[in-house]
Amino acid sequence: YTAKLLSQGVEKCAKKLGEEAVETALAAVLGNKKHIAAESADLLYHLLVLLEASDVKLTDVMAELARRKGTSGIAEKAARPKV
């Protein structure tokens, strides 16, 4: 399945990530912890696939999180370059 997703490109991988994000949010609203955990696993899997398809290393994501440590989310967002 992973190879199939990767062969379909970044756009397909991004679409799947979005679908899983919505399913995870809906599971959270319902409050079923097992369902939330299952959907979260799908979401994390599809994020990892998208990172691979985009040639972004998980270590780069982790480094970005480390860089933000101790910074308010509001301040961090305000400091981002406008694109």
Side-chain angles (χ1 to χ4, degrees):
Y1 180 64
T2 304
K4 179 181 176 183
L5 279 175
L6 290 170
S7 74
Q8 294 175 330
V10 172
E11 201 171 299
K12 177 66 173 181
C13 295
K15 181 179 178 192
K16 286 300 296 177
L17 177 67
E19 291 170 6
E20 296 302 337
V22 169
E23 290 173 8
T24 302
L26 293 174
V29 169
L30 295 176
N32 179 316
K33 289 183 180 186
K34 286 189 178 196
H35 192 203
I36 296 167
E39 293 299 342
S40 295
D42 291 345
L43 178 60
L44 289 172
Y45 164 77
H46 283 89
L47 175 58
L48 292 171
V49 171
L50 179 63
L51 291 174
E52 179 67 25
S54 302
D55 196 30
V56 174
K57 304 294 181 214
L58 182 57
T59 54
D60 295 336
V61 176
M62 299 307 292
E64 177 60 18
L65 288 172
R67 183 190 68 76
R68 295 179 186 185
K69 186 175 181 178
T71 304
S72 130
I74 294 169
E76 187 281 325
K77 187 172 182 179
R80 289 183 196 168
K82 306 298 182 238
V83 285

